[in-house]
Amino acid sequence: MNPNKPASELHQAVAALKPYFLRAAGFSVFASLLILAPSGYMLEVYDRVVNSRNHMTLVMLTLLVLAAYVLMEVLEWVRSEVMHEASLVLDKQLSGRVFLAIFEANLKRMPGGSAQPMNDFRSIRDFLHAPVVMALMEAPVSLVFLILIFAISPVLGWTAVVAALLQTFVGWLNERSTQPPLLAANRHAIAAQQYADGTLRNAQVIESMGMLRDIHQRWISKQKEFLTEQALASSHAGFYQAVSKFLQNTVSSMLLGLGAWLLLRNQLNGGAAYMIVGSILGGRVLAPLIQIVTQWQTVVNVRDAYSRLDNLLAAVPVRPDGMPLPAPQGQLQVENLVASAPGTQVPILKGISFALQPGEVLAVVGPSASGKTTLARLLVGLWPAVNGKVRLDGADVYTWNKAELGPHVGYLPQGVELFEGSVAENIARFGEVDQAKVEAAARTVGLHEFIMALPEGYDNPVGREGAMLSGGQRQRVALARALYGKPAFVVLDEPNSSLDEQGDAALANAISVLAARGTTFVVMTHRTSVLAVTSKMLVLRDGQTQMFGPRDDVLKALNEAAEKARQGAVLTPAHA
């Protein structure tokens, strides 16, 4: 790591938990030292009780060792609670930030715009009180045990050192063999999950056209790739865990045998009892290393999750708070706008410029793939421009704080999405429900009577993704949401694609009423029914402005161009 490079956001959040780590480590030291209680109890029983045959001494020693056990368990519990509190602090610091980063990455079509980063964050948070972290905290006490073994006999001490080095080498081999398949398994698992999510979103299409078998087979192939890599990693990890446990058991017996051999040669300090103590302490020296090797798969998974989440937070930095701006009046300026989809270099819009005054209604027309939806996204500040600006009352829409700007803007995307909740909550944008404003928006789009006919009226749930409503009803609820609170600027992308004749009339009436009150509208449309209430037209072709101006002038120019094209098509065969 470059020492001059500032620490990442995730690293800073984890580093802020240092007091919790230190506190838990302190409890770990004391709890680990109390593991010596059984050895001390054994020595005292041999030395005092067996020789003196005093029952009271045995009772008191037993009570003391029981008290040590209770204290050890209390310290273990307190340590666990401290680390659990640390995980809650980390969650409070970063969970909201991770959610917003996922949201923005999804808007920009960046990697990480899915539920996976939230799963990664949960893995990191839960790892704070995982057994392997506790084992790391106990590792320093192993040095104390090692010193005690050296005090009993240097031969036993060096044997324990060699065993610890071998155990570390086993851990290194475990890391080297399991990391590649584990990382590959994680990638395949994420791909399989994302594919399954996409399948569920398109369940109706898949079922209606009999695609389930082939889709399922493709998911199975992705799942098999994940399971194959996971099985390989588990196989390697299982082998090294077995080697690690074998070393632990062998070392304990070896230390016991060496202790007996040294005792027979009168080279063991402390006598026969310390032969057993040395064996016990040797096992305790290796215990943290055994735990780390056993849990290494968790370590690799969390390390991978940490790397992915760290990259996401670095790629989607926190937006700086801009200067508070006054509420917009609806004056729109689009200046030489060049734009492409996030993550691509191919331009979709190529030098678009126009301006609207408050209360004007612009219809944007053009063939498919002409850039209408891309323009809609830039007008409301969802996508950044490669060049040029979209300004509302002189301020850059993309950099404007959306929490501040949002109440003054309405947006109806081409793909209508409602959220689980009531009709009123959806119209009120899930803020505080102002019933008068909700009803006013519903009446504007001609939806009030339909809502009142529902079993629970405005409190009626719409279901997941609005499943309890028809396509046209969902579109009208979403239209009411866009017009809620009398916004100053509204962008509608194909607002009448699912509407019947009555819905078309309600849409035209809503635009006319709000435009008369000063709301500026931009309507992307393929249908001519909405043109009657527009004041200007923009014709796009291949991402460029073909025509722009007052509606009647543009329609006249289009009709003349169509007539010339028709006449040219008629004359061409005669001259052929």
Side-chain angles (χ1 to χ4, degrees):
M1 183 176 177
N2 186 352
N4 296 323
K5 185 179 179 180
S8 67
E9 185 178 356
L10 182 56
H11 179 81
Q12 290 178 8
V14 174
L17 303 176
K18 183 178 179 180
Y20 294 93
F21 285 109
L22 293 177
R23 201 181 316 160
F27 288 121
S28 294
V29 169
F30 287 108
S32 299
L33 289 175
L34 287 172
I35 294 175
L36 294 174
S39 301
Y41 178 70
M42 179 188 66
L43 291 174
E44 292 300 317
V45 167
Y46 271 116
D47 186 45
R48 296 176 183 273
V49 178
V50 174
N51 292 330
S52 67
R53 310 186 71 83
N54 189 317
H55 293 80
M56 182 57 67
T57 301
L58 177 61
V59 170
M60 294 305 297
L61 288 174
T62 303
L63 290 175
L64 282 173
V65 77
L66 287 176
Y69 288 155
V70 171
L71 179 57
M72 182 171 62
E73 294 303 322
V74 169
L75 290 175
E76 293 274 3
W77 173 76
V78 171
R79 178 183 67 174
S80 178
E81 287 297 303
V82 168
M83 294 310 297
H84 181 68
E85 184 180 353
S87 71
L88 295 179
V89 170
L90 184 66
D91 185 88
K92 184 177 180 180
Q93 286 179 334
L94 277 186
S95 59
R97 167 76 176 104
V98 171
F99 179 86
L100 294 176
I102 294 171
F103 183 82
E104 189 163 346
N106 185 275
L107 283 178
K108 296 178 178 179
R109 297 184 179 179
M110 296 169 55
S114 65
Q116 184 59 41
M118 194 59 74
N119 294 332
D120 290 339
F121 177 64
R122 183 170 61 248
S123 297
I124 296 168
R125 182 192 62 202
D126 294 343
F127 182 72
L128 293 179
H129 47 84
V132 66
V133 175
M134 305 304 179
L136 287 170
M137 291 181 177
E138 293 172 0
V141 183
S142 297
L143 294 176
V144 177
F145 295 155
L146 190 60
I147 292 171
L148 293 176
I149 295 174
F150 268 100
I152 296 171
S153 169
V155 174
L156 296 182
W158 286 115
T159 302
V161 169
V162 171
L165 292 175
L166 285 174
Q167 196 69 263
T168 303
F169 180 65
V170 170
W172 178 78
L173 291 176
N174 188 24
E175 151 78 2
R176 185 178 178 182
S177 64
T178 58
Q179 183 182 10
L182 275 177
L183 295 179
N186 286 338
R187 288 195 296 271
H188 291 313
I190 292 170
Q193 181 62 48
Q194 290 175 343
Y195 191 81
D197 291 342
T199 300
L200 293 175
R201 286 195 300 270
N202 296 279
Q204 295 181 26
V205 173
I206 292 170
E207 177 67 15
S208 64
M209 293 191 287
M211 299 164 59
L212 181 59
R213 183 183 62 183
D214 295 330
I215 292 291
H216 181 249
Q217 287 299 321
R218 180 164 292 194
W219 177 81
I220 286 292
S221 67
K222 293 180 179 294
Q223 190 74 355
K224 280 182 178 178
E225 291 174 340
F226 155 63
L227 293 174
T228 299
E229 295 292 347
Q230 188 183 56
L232 180 61
S234 297
S235 175
H236 290 171
F239 171 75
Y240 288 110
Q241 286 174 20
V243 171
S244 183
K245 289 182 179 179
F246 170 77
L247 276 175
Q248 184 183 29
N249 295 330
T250 301
V251 168
S252 295
S253 298
M254 185 182 296
L255 289 174
L256 183 61
L258 275 174
W261 182 74
L262 292 169
L263 181 65
L264 293 176
R265 295 172 60 87
N266 295 318
Q267 295 178 356
L268 188 71
N269 297 326
Y274 283 90
M275 172 182 67
I276 301 175
V277 171
S279 174
I280 295 172
L281 291 177
R284 294 309 309 172
V285 167
L286 298 181
L289 293 173
I290 298 292
Q291 184 78 339
I292 292 169
V293 171
T294 303
Q295 297 286 326
W296 193 250
Q297 186 171 344
T298 303
V299 174
V300 173
N301 288 337
V302 169
R303 189 171 59 191
D304 193 26
Y306 185 99
S307 177
R308 286 194 300 266
L309 186 60
D310 201 28
N311 291 335
L312 172 65
L313 296 180
V316 187
V318 179
R319 285 193 183 186
D321 292 333
M323 182 183 298
L325 297 171
Q329 301 300 311
Q331 185 179 39
L332 180 70
Q333 290 175 300
V334 177
E335 305 168 353
N336 194 29
L337 196 62
V338 178
S340 58
T344 69
Q345 301 298 322
V346 180
I348 300 174
L349 298 179
K350 307 164 187 176
I352 305 297
S353 297
F354 62 89
L356 297 175
Q357 296 300 315
E360 289 190 317
V361 180
L362 173 68
V364 181
V365 299
S368 296
S370 60
K372 298 190 298 297
T373 294
T374 298
L375 177 59
R377 289 169 177 161
L378 270 80
L379 290 178
V380 294
L382 294 180
W383 287 4
V386 175
N387 188 44
K389 295 288 183 183
V390 175
R391 299 185 186 277
L392 191 60
D393 286 22
D396 187 348
V397 171
Y398 181 72
T399 59
W400 201 328
N401 186 335
K402 296 303 184 291
E404 180 183 300
L405 176 63
H408 307 290
V409 170
Y411 177 51
L412 179 66
Q414 199 171 54
V416 172
E417 291 285 352
L418 297 183
F419 305 100
E420 195 166 351
S422 69
V423 175
E425 287 173 328
N426 271 276
I427 294 176
R429 308 181 181 187
F430 284 86
E432 183 178 351
V433 176
D434 186 323
Q435 193 62 32
K437 290 183 180 180
V438 168
E439 289 190 16
R443 289 181 187 276
T444 300
V445 298
L447 202 58
H448 177 71
E449 288 74 16
F450 161 74
I451 295 174
M452 293 306 296
L454 294 172
E456 299 178 55
Y458 281 91
D459 294 327
N460 202 79
V462 301
R464 185 179 179 182
E465 298 180 357
M468 298 180 67
L469 304 176
S470 70
Q473 290 162 352
R474 285 197 297 271
Q475 192 159 37
R476 290 171 78 173
V477 170
L479 180 60
R481 178 180 64 194
L483 304 181
Y484 176 78
K486 301 176 183 177
F489 178 49
V490 176
V491 177
L492 307 176
D493 192 0
E494 301 293 349
N496 48 3
S497 59
S498 299
L499 298 182
D500 54 16
E501 186 176 344
Q502 182 182 3
D504 261 346
L507 171 64
N509 179 70
I511 293 174
S512 179
V513 169
L514 268 72
R517 297 174 183 170
T519 299
T520 304
F521 280 87
V522 177
V523 185
M524 283 66 183
T525 183
H526 277 110
R527 297 167 64 171
T528 59
S529 56
V530 77
L531 295 181
V533 294
T534 62
S535 52
K536 289 186 176 180
M537 281 185 66
L538 170 66
V539 181
L540 291 180
R541 184 175 295 276
D542 192 28
Q544 295 178 308
T545 301
Q546 187 178 12
M547 295 183 190
F548 172 73
R551 177 198 60 194
D552 294 340
D553 294 349
V554 173
L555 285 175
K556 181 180 178 182
L558 287 173
N559 289 332
E560 290 175 353
E563 181 64 23
K564 288 180 181 179
R566 185 183 64 80
Q567 291 176 357
V570 171
L571 291 173
T572 299
H575 292 281

